[in-house]
């Protein structure tokens, strides 16, 4: 896998993936795009969400929405690495089994989400979830 990041101006950079997709990063005091650390946090959420949706679909759950709310704590001193991250999944649907959601979140955390598993080597990562029934 390869990528590149190019400085645009000020504190703005554009990352280009090997597949040709662009992402804007901004580290300034009045940012116009996410910072690199925000992107890391969102990447963990996106990676885990892909797993949870896929696992729930395979379990034939009637899921209409999956959202993950992410919270991260960072070290006070430089480098301000993440020390804790929580991924809280909100799964909406009809007759969605909490047991299936719990299993999907656990499989993502323990086996499938390469981003979170990589971060877990130095960051305390926790997971939680709730199921919201659509009436």
């Amino acid at each position: 896998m390869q990528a590149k990041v190019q400085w645009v101006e000020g504190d703005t950079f554009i990352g280009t993936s090997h597949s040709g997709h662009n992402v804007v990063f901004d580290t300034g005091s009045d940012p116009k795009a996410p910072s690199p650390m925000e992107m890391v946090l969102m990447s963990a959420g996106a990676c885990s969400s892909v797993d949870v949706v896929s696992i729930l679909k395979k379990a034939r759950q009637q899921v209409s929405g999956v959202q993950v709310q992410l919270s991260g704590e960072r070290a006070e001193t430089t480098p301000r690495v993440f020390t804790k991250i929580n991924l809280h999944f909100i799964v909406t649907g009809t007759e969605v089994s909490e047991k299936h959601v719990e299993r999907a979140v656990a499989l993502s955390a323990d086996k499938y989400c390469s981003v979170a598993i990589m971060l877990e080597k130095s960051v305390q990562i926790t997971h939680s979830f709730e199921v919201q029934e659509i009436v």
Side-chain angles (χ1 to χ4, degrees), residues 1-51:
M1 184 179 297
Q2 297 179 357
K4 69 178 180 179
V5 175
Q6 182 171 335
W7 176 47
V8 178
E9 64 181 354
D11 295 316
T12 304
F13 297 80
I14 294 179
T16 305
S17 67
H18 182 72
S19 58
H21 296 93
N22 293 319
V23 178
V24 179
F25 298 87
D26 194 331
T27 61
S29 59
D30 184 24
K32 306 291 187 262
S35 72
M37 290 301 281
E38 289 172 318
M39 290 290 228
V40 169
L41 189 62
M42 289 187 291
S43 292
C47 180
S48 289
S49 293
V50 167
D51 299 335

Side-chain angles (χ1 to χ4, degrees), residues 26 29 33 42 51 56 59 67 70 93 104-105 124:
D26 194 331
S29 59
M42 289 187 291
D51 299 335
L56 291 173
Q67 178 184 101
L70 302 144
V105 170
Q124 178 187 344

